Amino acid sequence: MKRVLLLGAGHAQLSVLADVMRQRLPGGEVLLVTPQAQLLYSGMVPGLIAGRYALDHCTIDVGALARAASVPLRLGRAVALDAQAREVALADGERIGYDLLCLNTGPVQDRDRIPGAREHALFVRPIETFVELWQRARTLADERPVALVVIGNGAAGVELVLAARAGLGARHSLALVCDGDLLQGHPPTARARAQAALRRAKVQLLPGRCTAIEARHVVVGSMRVVCDLPVVATGSDAPAWLAGSGLALDDAGYVRVGATLQSASHANVLAAGDLIARDDAAHPRSGVYAVRAGPVLAANLRALVGGGTLVPYRPQRRSLNLLSLGDGRALASWGGWSAQGWMMGWWKDAIDRGFVRRWRDQPSKK
Ligand SMILES: Cc1cc2nc3c(=O)[nH]c(=O)nc-3n(C[C@H](O)[C@H](O)[C@H](O)COP(=O)(O)OP(=O)(O)OC[C@H]3O[C@@H](n4cnc5c(N)ncnc54)[C@H](O)[C@@H]3O)c2cc1C
């Protein structure tokens, strides 16, 4: 029997679980290790902050999926990997050996990049911790007007600050720190629409780099801005625990994989999601690409266990971006095209609810 370790219940790993649920993996003894049995779907978190969803709407029961697939679930967080010894170390000290590793632990945020952020700020990742702390922080906002500053001019930063306006109300002061252009990589029309939405929501744009976060202020360029609630949404980083793993990594520390999602250095390691850097076909890091990689990850794991030909994952050249604007409307963009409004909001809501429902319904399809 080959020991198959599924590490991280990310977007792509859900397909692996569903595949094993549909058809056992002959010759494989599968174990899932991930920190929580409930996966919070990030695409719906802005809607949760805006008060449009309850926590339950955004949650996928990975535990139920694992049970339906007869895959034991070990709750734990990897802190080290030795690809040569084929062993993963967990935060609680346990070491787990494997023959085949299927890696989908997602990205992290460097908590020390902005001095003071570790002590004073909320980080958007891990998303479960963010939501828990947000729910606590918002009790403060229920008591008195607060100054919220979101640091990050990408999609997550824009969505979260607009969601905060919708969820907290008009009496609070909201700002977005933009180190460079808003929504880089999006078409100019989408960026202009986002700018207008922020203006309508009375979100102040603070141009410049955030260089420090203090107990009651954030420092942006030469400004010291009053802030009760700093939220860091400045993109994501590769986990530091991969650095000494022996796996081939790119310069930023992401796992280098080829078309079949096999590690560039270790053929017994498959990886997918935001954690990877494709050697042959670089693509943006987003949930869309992680989800699309899922069926290929599942097929190739099956091929590695049972013998067979591995198939390539061909990422689409571009993807549809749907950003919620907090009030039920959304901003859609595709290549150079963009549109916004209630219809786009309805569309995003239908896609997101459909995604969660799809994974919730899996166990009953067994
Ligand atoms: C607020 C927000 C909104 C977003 N909205 C969208 C959107 O609408 N559309 C879109 O395409 N993208 C969106 N994204 C980006 C999206 O969240 C990521 O691209 C996506 O989550 C990456 O998927 P993944 O499978 O690689 O990792 P994840 O979804 O992060 O899953 C990783 C899994 O591994 C587990 N894990 C983490 N560390 C460890 C460890 N050390 N050991 C074991 N297990 C571990 C985690 O608990 C989790 O279960 C959004 C991001 C944010 C922050």
Side-chain angles (χ1 to χ4, degrees):
M1 287 295 259
K2 289 187 176 124
R3 293 166 302 165
V4 178
L5 177 56
L6 310 181
L7 190 59
H11 288 59
Q13 204 83 277
L14 298 175
S15 288
V16 175
L17 287 171
D19 181 65
V20 176
M21 187 195 83
R22 279 191 294 272
Q23 194 191 348
R24 288 195 54 246
L25 210 53
E29 192 179 271
V30 190
L31 172 68
L32 170 67
V33 174
T34 197
Q36 302 96 4
Q38 307 290 323
L39 174 72
L40 203 50
Y41 174 48
S42 57
M44 290 174 85
V45 165
L48 177 71
I49 302 294
R52 306 184 67 79
Y53 302 126
L55 196 56
D56 182 56
H57 293 136
C58 323
T59 307
I60 298 169
D61 190 347
V62 174
L65 205 50
R67 274 195 302 283
S70 305
V71 170
L73 167 61
R74 163 75 161 86
L75 294 182
R77 187 175 286 279
V79 291
L81 165 63
D82 184 339
Q84 206 54 41
R86 300 182 170 193
E87 200 177 65
V88 168
L90 303 187
D92 60 15
E94 195 185 336
R95 305 180 87 81
I96 299 180
Y98 64 83
D99 299 305
L100 294 171
L101 176 64
C102 195
L103 201 52
N104 185 201
T105 57
V108 300
Q109 284 183 289
D110 180 351
R111 284 165 149 65
D112 297 312
R113 184 166 298 146
I114 304 174
R118 183 184 280 279
E119 295 80 13
H120 304 297
L122 298 189
F123 286 82
V124 294
R125 290 189 173 280
I127 202 103
E128 291 81 7
T129 312
F130 170 65
V131 167
E132 197 188 317
L133 293 177
W134 175 267
Q135 281 165 344
R136 271 195 247 161
R138 72 152 298 156
T139 57
L140 177 70
D142 290 340
E143 286 162 16
R144 64 170 174 86
V146 295
L148 170 94
V149 178
V150 176
I151 300 136
N153 47 343
V158 170
E159 281 193 297
L160 287 175
V161 78
L162 290 171
R165 172 61 79 212
L168 297 180
R171 67 188 184 127
H172 306 282
S173 126
L174 266 53
L176 183 69
V177 177
C178 295
D179 182 14
D181 289 338
L182 198 65
L183 291 182
Q184 282 165 27
H186 291 244
T189 51
R191 287 152 67 171
R193 288 178 196 278
Q195 197 125 23
L198 290 164
R199 224 177 7 253
R200 272 196 310 275
K202 298 196 168 34
V203 173
Q204 188 191 0
L205 294 185
L206 301 172
R209 175 163 294 216
C210 177
T211 51
I213 299 180
E214 302 162 359
R216 290 245 32 233
H217 294 89
V218 295
V219 180
V220 181
S222 56
M223 295 179 285
R224 223 165 139 253
V225 181
V226 171
C227 173
D228 304 299
L229 198 51
V231 174
V232 180
T234 45
S236 50
D237 303 285
W241 57 266
L242 284 171
S245 66
L247 286 183
L249 306 177
D250 77 353
D251 290 345
Y254 292 96
V255 179
R256 284 178 46 212
V257 300
T260 58
L261 303 176
Q262 269 174 303
S263 149
S265 56
H266 293 76
N268 65 327
V269 178
L270 292 166
D274 279 13
L275 196 69
I276 64 160
R278 275 285 286 264
D279 278 349
D280 58 330
H283 60 74
R285 293 194 171 87
S286 82
V288 173
Y289 289 91
V291 169
R292 296 270 169 105
V296 175
L297 189 69
N300 288 349
L301 181 64
R302 194 167 280 282
L304 283 180
V305 174
T309 312
L310 275 70
V311 290
Y313 167 49
R314 295 203 177 83
Q316 60 205 92
R317 258 186 351 107
R318 51 174 69 129
S319 67
L320 173 71
N321 295 303
L322 277 166
L323 267 64
S324 66
L325 298 177
D327 56 1
R329 285 181 288 185
L331 167 57
S333 65
W334 169 269
W337 169 88
S338 78
Q340 76 171 43
W342 304 108
M343 275 302 286
M344 302 299 138
W346 175 87
W347 194 13
K348 176 167 171 54
D349 178 66
I351 291 174
D352 288 344
R353 283 182 191 266
F355 181 77
V356 171
R357 196 177 321 115
R358 177 176 148 207
W359 296 112
R360 283 193 175 175
D361 292 350
Q362 285 292 330
S364 60
K365 288 187 185 155
K366 195 182 171 190

